[in-house]
Amino acid sequence: MERKRVGIIGAGVSGLAAIKACLEEGLEPVCFEQSEEIGGLWHYTDDGGQKQGASMYKSLISNVSREMSCFSDFPFDKHTPPYPSHTQFHQYLQQYCNRFDLRKYITFNTQVVKVQRAEGFVEGEWLVNTADAGTDGTEARQHVFHAIMVCSGTYHQPHIPSFVGLENYQGTVTHSQSYRTPDRFQGKSVVVIGAGNSAGDIAAEVGLTASKVYLSMRDGVWIFPRLTRSARPLDLSISRALLNVPEFVTRNYLKMLSRSHINQVNYGLDHTKDPFTHGFMVNDEIAFRLASGKVLAKSDIAEFTRTGVKFVDGSNVDADEVIFATGYDVSFPFLDSDIHPSSLQDQELYKLVFPVHMKKHTLAVIGEIRNRGGASPVVELQARWAAQVFQGITQLPDHHTMLEHVRRDRQYRDSRFGPNKLPVVDLRYTEDIARDIGVKPSFWRLVFRDPSLAFLTYFGPAFPVHYRLQGRHSWSGAAEYAKTALLNTYSATRAGRVQSRSSSQLKVNSLITVLLVCLIVAVLAVIVMIKI
Ligand SMILES: Cc1cc2nc3c(=O)[nH]c(=O)nc-3n(C[C@H](O)[C@H](O)[C@H](O)COP(=O)(O)OP(=O)(O)OC[C@H]3O[C@@H](n4cnc5c(N)ncnc54)[C@H](O)[C@@H]3O)c2cc1C
Ligand SMILES: NC(=O)c1ccc[n+]([C@@H]2O[C@H](COP(=O)([O-])OP(=O)(O)OC[C@H]3O[C@@H](n4cnc5c(N)ncnc54)[C@H](OP(=O)(O)O)[C@@H]3O)[C@@H](O)[C@H]2O)c1
């Protein structure tokens, strides 16, 4: 029988996961990538990848630890440190491509210019126009597909808000998208606008050599370090057990954690919302930059002057440069708005993947999310789900049920994060998709098979590999890997100094660590409850 052809737009993390998921389900993936390399924004170039849109800066280090940001059936190699640099992450993606032979499904330097319903073909099929990247698109080629996975990323179009007087400002204005290195800011007075991770990283880096950096935020910010005091990745505390802890306990615990890293009031960072309902910053350097006076937190900007900015608190500063670290606008220029609009408030995606209004669900949007944790495991589950739906293995609910779900989900998100924000997803979301496709690890099924594994899966860090323990396309190495993942976090940093300790000894140690973490979480929960 003819294999269904799936058109995949983009070969970043989402696109690679999509190709792999199609292959697993017996679909034929055809991926178009406008740049000359895989990896999307993890493919660093000094010029910011003219053809690729999204980009990273030279010093960028992942803010999610390696074991929490890998694909479920492909761990990082033992040379990767707990927090990979963009180069190491890109190498990982290259290794993933090689291991599963994904490159042969990608056509590089090819831009998708239009995706339309294929009138006159079988219902649900799609017509895709592609052109050589960098051309005006008039010499387009046409392809017909049974289904489409949109994996084009969400960080292409810089968001530059308008401010009074900006047009008269005579200094240099840039967006964080084009930031690469701090070299040209030496000795200058710089304003960085925003309170996200880009703002934090750039302010901290530029603050090393600039004469002064002013970090302008419209509210304050919650800052979390990557590491605990014992240099253990903080994100290894994310466990399934925590999903059953009342939210007010976790919320207060998070606040305590952030305050123990940096007292917000002392540094002018105090915030009106809590870290659950607002984006937070993951940053290990900014606290000291603030403490050493190299960076100063400021309020929102009231207006630009000819030589600098005036803040809403009435103070003025002169600035040589202003960097807008104000995020991105989502855009799907190749899709008509009746298929999937770029405007977030007009979108209706069932569980953030399937446009609900389609008669046949042959189009999926992968990665239009804001992840709290690694992106790879989330987009991988989305892609696995989409491939199963395209192949008819998993059914979606009826139109009315999906629409109701979208409305409730929107209401919930708007009330927490405010309208028009890229949807924030966490472990609760991945567990939900995993349940839909039958790969959510079940404590009770595992406990009879392997009690220590069941225990680790529930109380230990929620590693992506847990989604390969059971169900379709489970991985025979998953159980063994799940037991050693905690230990593997440090494989590169322990380097040659562990010969004297056997690996079983280390496994026991990591089990004890998990037990201790569980105990600490339980004790903290009790303390927080008593304080409240
Ligand atoms: C500065 C920065 C740092 C980040 N750090 C982390 C981190 O530490 N950990 C983490 O998990 N996540 C991080 N993220 C989130 C990041 O979005 C995800 O990790 C992940 O890279 C998203 O992958 P993607 O494939 O969805 O999108 P992208 O990486 O943007 O890839 C999209 C691909 O689609 C291609 N494309 C787009 N349009 C077309 C078209 N019309 N035709 C053909 N090809 C097209 C692009 O060229 C690109 O290769 C970071 C994001 C940013 C901006
Ligand atoms: N080291 C790393 O791994 C790393 C580094 C950088 C970025 N990233 C990731 O990259 C993605 C993008 O991050 P980002 O920081 O570029 O964008 P972002 O997270 O969207 O943050 C944008 C910031 O700009 C602020 N902002 C927007 N409009 C504004 C306005 N009109 N006036 C004042 N402030 C305004 C936002 O404030 P509000 O919150 O009030 O809207 C927010 O603080 C995220 O997923 C992030 O985690 C990771």
Side-chain angles (χ1 to χ4, degrees):
M1 208 176 83
E2 192 201 348
R3 287 203 302 166
K4 287 184 181 167
R5 276 161 48 89
V6 180
I8 296 169
I9 304 153
V13 173
S14 302
L16 298 179
I19 300 173
K20 167 92 166 5
C22 285
L23 293 172
E24 280 177 348
E25 296 303 350
L27 297 160
E28 187 185 330
V30 179
C31 176
F32 301 107
E33 168 53 53
Q34 63 191 3
S35 78
E36 69 291 350
E37 179 46 352
I38 59 119
L41 49 79
W42 292 100
H43 175 223
Y44 174 84
T45 52
D46 283 333
D47 66 358
Q50 292 306 319
K51 284 185 266 174
Q52 132 208 357
S55 56
M56 289 187 165
Y57 30 91
K58 198 163 193 168
S59 62
L60 189 132
I61 296 197
S62 169
N63 56 11
V64 186
S65 71
R66 50 171 267 174
E67 296 303 328
M68 298 300 261
S69 56
C70 59
F71 290 115
S72 58
D73 55 357
F74 190 71
F76 276 92
D77 68 29
K78 63 181 190 318
H79 307 294
T80 311
Y83 283 95
S85 65
H86 60 71
T87 312
Q88 286 160 329
F89 203 98
H90 185 239
Q91 277 164 0
Y92 167 77
L93 296 177
Q94 288 176 317
Q95 289 161 358
Y96 182 72
C97 270
N98 295 343
R99 165 69 184 82
F100 298 106
D101 204 8
L102 305 183
R103 258 180 208 274
K104 65 181 181 204
Y105 301 99
I106 306 169
T107 311
F108 289 100
N109 296 308
T110 302
Q111 186 178 32
V112 170
V113 286
K114 193 85 192 159
V115 175
Q116 296 161 277
R117 290 185 178 89
E119 306 292 347
F121 288 81
V122 180
E123 188 173 339
E125 290 197 340
W126 298 92
L127 210 59
V128 171
N129 285 6
T130 62
D132 291 345
T135 62
D136 61 5
T138 44
E139 305 259 317
R141 292 173 288 279
Q142 280 201 336
H143 316 256
V144 177
F145 291 108
H146 288 95
I148 297 288
M149 289 206 211
V150 177
C151 302
S152 51
T154 52
Y155 299 121
H156 297 259
Q157 197 168 298
H159 170 68
I160 302 203
S162 51
F163 282 102
V164 175
L166 180 57
E167 64 286 0
N168 301 325
Y169 172 60
Q170 294 193 332
T172 309
V173 175
T174 51
H175 185 270
S176 59
Q177 189 195 34
S178 61
Y179 176 83
R180 291 289 166 281
T181 64
D183 307 348
R184 70 188 177 84
F185 298 96
Q186 191 146 9
K188 290 186 176 169
S189 166
V190 183
V191 172
V192 177
I193 310 173
N197 285 326
S198 296
D201 276 1
I202 294 171
E205 187 167 75
V206 170
L208 273 174
T209 52
S211 67
K212 189 85 174 182
V213 174
Y214 301 94
L215 180 58
S216 164
M217 295 166 281
R218 49 183 171 188
D219 205 336
V221 64
W222 294 94
I223 303 178
F224 292 91
R226 286 180 177 80
L227 301 169
T228 65
R229 279 183 200 169
S230 61
R232 181 183 198 270
L234 195 58
D235 57 16
L236 293 179
S237 317
I238 300 170
S239 76
R240 291 188 171 77
L242 278 182
L243 294 180
N244 295 316
V245 174
E247 193 180 294
F248 74 94
V249 175
T250 346
R251 185 189 297 134
N252 283 293
Y253 173 62
L254 279 179
K255 286 183 182 176
M256 270 167 38
L257 205 66
S258 176
R259 285 183 186 132
S260 69
H261 174 60
I262 178 165
N263 181 303
Q264 293 175 300
V265 178
N266 292 345
Y267 291 98
L269 304 169
D270 34 326
H271 204 296
T272 55
K273 297 193 190 124
D274 65 54
F276 251 109
T277 53
H278 193 268
F280 50 75
M281 192 188 276
V282 178
N283 196 296
D284 304 87
E285 284 92 28
I286 194 79
F288 188 61
R289 223 65 85 229
L290 287 158
S292 54
K294 303 296 272 175
V295 176
L296 184 65
K298 297 293 290 181
S299 53
D300 204 359
I301 290 175
E303 59 178 300
F304 277 71
T305 62
R306 223 169 45 80
T307 54
V309 299
K310 182 174 178 187
F311 296 100
V312 290
D313 62 9
S315 59
N316 282 295
V317 296
D318 280 346
D320 302 304
E321 302 233 10
V322 174
I323 304 172
F324 280 83
T326 41
Y328 296 81
D329 291 323
V330 173
S331 126
F332 300 102
F334 47 84
L335 279 176
D336 285 338
S337 58
D338 65 327
I339 297 172
H340 181 58
S342 294
S343 144
L344 288 170
Q345 74 193 41
D346 297 330
Q347 293 182 359
E348 287 183 332
L349 287 180
Y350 177 60
K351 296 195 180 178
L352 312 177
V353 174
F354 293 99
V356 285
H357 58 81
M358 306 244 161
K359 283 200 187 119
K360 278 189 122 186
H361 289 283
T362 52
L363 185 135
V365 181
I366 310 297
E368 202 194 339
I369 46 154
R370 200 189 163 95
N371 47 299
R372 285 199 163 157
S376 321
V378 186
V379 299
E380 185 189 22
L381 275 173
Q382 291 183 326
R384 288 172 77 184
W385 183 33
Q388 290 193 15
V389 170
F390 295 164
Q391 197 58 300
I393 296 158
T394 300
Q395 312 301 326
L396 295 180
D398 62 61
H399 179 77
H400 178 74
T401 311
M402 287 200 282
L403 205 56
E404 221 8 73
H405 186 284
V406 169
R407 290 209 176 115
R408 267 187 284 116
D409 196 39
R410 160 93 29 95
Q411 241 171 26
Y412 171 77
R413 287 178 193 285
D414 286 359
S415 66
R416 282 171 83 94
F417 302 104
N420 291 325
K421 301 262 182 182
L422 207 54
V424 175
V425 300
D426 55 19
L427 182 60
R428 221 173 275 282
Y429 173 79
T430 47
E431 291 285 273
D432 185 38
I433 304 287
R435 189 186 308 107
D436 285 355
I437 61 170
V439 299
K440 181 173 180 281
S442 150
F443 178 82
W444 294 112
R445 268 176 70 179
L446 285 173
V447 85
F448 294 111
R449 190 171 114 192
D450 187 337
S452 71
L453 180 62
F455 182 82
L456 279 169
T457 307
Y458 188 72
F459 290 102
F463 292 124
V465 67
H466 295 161
Y467 297 125
R468 293 285 175 178
L469 287 169
Q470 58 190 62
R472 285 180 76 77
H473 309 295
S474 53
W475 169 38
S476 57
E480 181 56 25
Y481 191 78
K483 289 181 188 172
T484 54
L486 200 56
L487 192 63
N488 295 340
T489 302
Y490 309 103
S491 58
T493 50
R494 273 196 317 268
R497 297 209 11 106
V498 285
Q499 268 78 6
S500 56
R501 297 162 82 193
S502 72
S503 81
S504 60
Q505 214 180 341
L506 286 165
K507 271 187 211 167
V508 171
N509 286 354
S510 65
L511 199 66
I512 292 170
T513 313
V514 170
L515 273 169
L516 278 174
V517 170
C518 299
L519 199 69
I520 292 166
V521 169
V523 171
L524 279 171
V526 173
I527 294 173
V528 172
M529 275 198 270
I530 292 168
K531 274 189 95 172
I532 290 160

